[in-house]
């Protein structure tokens, strides 16, 4: 159950009230269990990562880190079924640059999922856009307070503090995701390729 005044739900991949050996080792080592490119969390700052995966939004866990969506690679399994129903041979490519006819960049696609034959030749592909929710307010302050003493501070009530962190659905959708979908989506539509969105 989510503590009402605690803005953090998951830190370094585990619930703030999880004091199992593995949860403690992830907090102590700043480790990411969700298939980050490196073992440690790299969110915000490499040397002092902001290890918050999920925020409490009115009692609902809300993912604020795009790496969190990689748990068990479920997004790839679901996208494979959506793009190439029944196909087994696929490969995922991260951060693929998308170029327009004139050679200018149209941005990066978060993940391109490719289906291929036994010789590795591309048969088809689809694009996956991943969008975690942005945060308004200050999430680093409650994170650092929690990390000073997790066993004491997992029940902390942060609601009276200035700049209480909140999920900013408007900025992450209208200002970020929708323009990307419109811009990249037109190119993919011209190519008759499917696009999946993870939010």
């Amino acid at each position: 159950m989510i503590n009402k005044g605690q803005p953090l739900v998951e830190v370094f991949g585990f619930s703030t009230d999880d004091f199992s050996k593995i949860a403690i080792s992830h907090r102590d080592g700043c480790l990411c269990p969700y298939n980050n490119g490196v073992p440690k969390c790299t969110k915000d700052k490499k040397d002092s990562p902001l290890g918050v995966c999920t925020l409490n939004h009115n009692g609902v866990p809300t993912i604020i880190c795009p790496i969190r969506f990689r748990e068990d690679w479920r997004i790839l399994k679901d996208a494979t079924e959506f793009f190439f129903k029944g196909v087994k041979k696929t490969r995922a490519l991260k951060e693929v640059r998308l170029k327009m006819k004139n050679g200018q960049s149209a941005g990066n696609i978060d993940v391109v999922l490719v289906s291929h034959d036994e010789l590795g030749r591309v048969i088809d592909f689809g694009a996956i856009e991943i969008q975690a929710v942005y945060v308004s307010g200050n999430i680093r302050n409650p994170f650092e307070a929690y990390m000073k003493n997790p066993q004491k501070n997992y029940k902390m009530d942060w609601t009276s503090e200035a700049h209480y962190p909140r999920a900013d659905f408007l900025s992450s959708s209208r200002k970020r995701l929708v323009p990307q979908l419109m811009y990249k989506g037109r190119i993919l539509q011209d190519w008759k390729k499917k696009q999946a969105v993870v939010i």
Side-chain angles (χ1 to χ4, degrees), residues 31-104:
L31 302 175
C32 175
Y34 297 120
N35 300 298
N36 196 10
V38 293
K40 290 197 171 199
C41 173
T42 54
K43 185 176 176 69
D44 192 36
K45 296 178 184 176
K46 184 180 172 186
D47 296 328
S48 179
L50 178 63
V52 182
C53 315
T54 309
L55 179 76
N56 174 6
H57 178 72
N58 298 327
V60 178
T62 304
I63 294 175
I64 61 168
C65 176
I67 304 299
R68 177 64 180 85
F69 289 107
R70 297 180 183 176
E71 182 179 8
D72 298 328
W73 286 115
R74 181 174 173 184
I75 60 172
L76 296 186
K77 294 170 193 170
D78 291 348
T80 297
E81 192 62 19
F82 173 65
F83 293 148
F84 330 113
K85 198 167 185 71
V87 171
K88 300 292 182 195
K89 294 186 184 304
T90 62
R91 179 172 292 154
L93 308 169
K94 294 187 292 181
E95 294 297 326
V96 176
R97 189 172 302 279
L98 183 63
K99 290 188 177 179
M100 296 186 289
K101 272 185 193 177
N102 62 9
Q104 285 187 322

Side-chain angles (χ1 to χ4, degrees), residues 3-190:
N3 181 21
K4 189 176 178 183
Q6 165 65 280
L8 317 177
V9 176
E10 289 179 317
V11 172
F12 295 115
F14 292 86
S15 173
T16 53
D17 62 355
D18 186 342
F19 300 106
S20 63
K21 189 175 178 181
I22 189 169
I24 292 169
S25 72
H26 274 70
R27 282 194 286 270
D28 289 347
C30 300
L31 302 175
C32 175
Y34 297 120
N35 300 298
N36 196 10
V38 293
K40 290 197 171 199
C41 173
T42 54
K43 185 176 176 69
D44 192 36
K45 296 178 184 176
K46 184 180 172 186
D47 296 328
S48 179
L50 178 63
V52 182
C53 315
T54 309
L55 179 76
N56 174 6
H57 178 72
N58 298 327
V60 178
T62 304
I63 294 175
I64 61 168
C65 176
I67 304 299
R68 177 64 180 85
F69 289 107
R70 297 180 183 176
E71 182 179 8
D72 298 328
W73 286 115
R74 181 174 173 184
I75 60 172
L76 296 186
K77 294 170 193 170
D78 291 348
T80 297
E81 192 62 19
F82 173 65
F83 293 148
F84 330 113
K85 198 167 185 71
V87 171
K88 300 292 182 195
K89 294 186 184 304
T90 62
R91 179 172 292 154
L93 308 169
K94 294 187 292 181
E95 294 297 326
V96 176
R97 189 172 302 279
L98 183 63
K99 290 188 177 179
M100 296 186 289
K101 272 185 193 177
N102 62 9
Q104 285 187 322
S105 173
N108 288 350
I109 298 174
D110 293 330
V111 180
V112 172
L113 194 58
V114 176
S115 69
H116 58 87
D117 63 16
E118 290 78 8
L119 299 175
R121 292 176 297 205
V122 174
I123 298 169
D124 199 0
F125 69 90
I128 304 172
E129 285 294 322
I130 300 170
Q131 182 64 59
V133 174
Y134 289 174
V135 176
S136 64
N138 186 316
I139 197 159
R140 185 164 280 280
N141 286 347
F143 167 71
E144 289 179 353
Y146 168 79
M147 289 297 290
K148 283 178 184 172
N149 190 339
Q151 293 203 0
K152 177 185 173 188
N153 295 333
Y154 79 96
K155 284 187 174 180
M156 67 185 186
D157 185 340
W158 203 258
T159 50
S160 62
E161 300 294 329
H163 311 293
Y164 184 89
R166 301 185 189 287
D168 186 350
F169 294 101
L170 184 62
S171 291
S172 50
S173 60
R174 190 172 75 183
K175 294 180 182 176
R176 172 76 177 169
L177 181 61
V178 171
Q180 284 194 58
L181 292 179
M182 290 173 65
Y183 194 55
K184 298 173 194 174
R186 280 196 293 263
I187 297 169
L188 292 163
Q189 189 175 35
D190 287 346

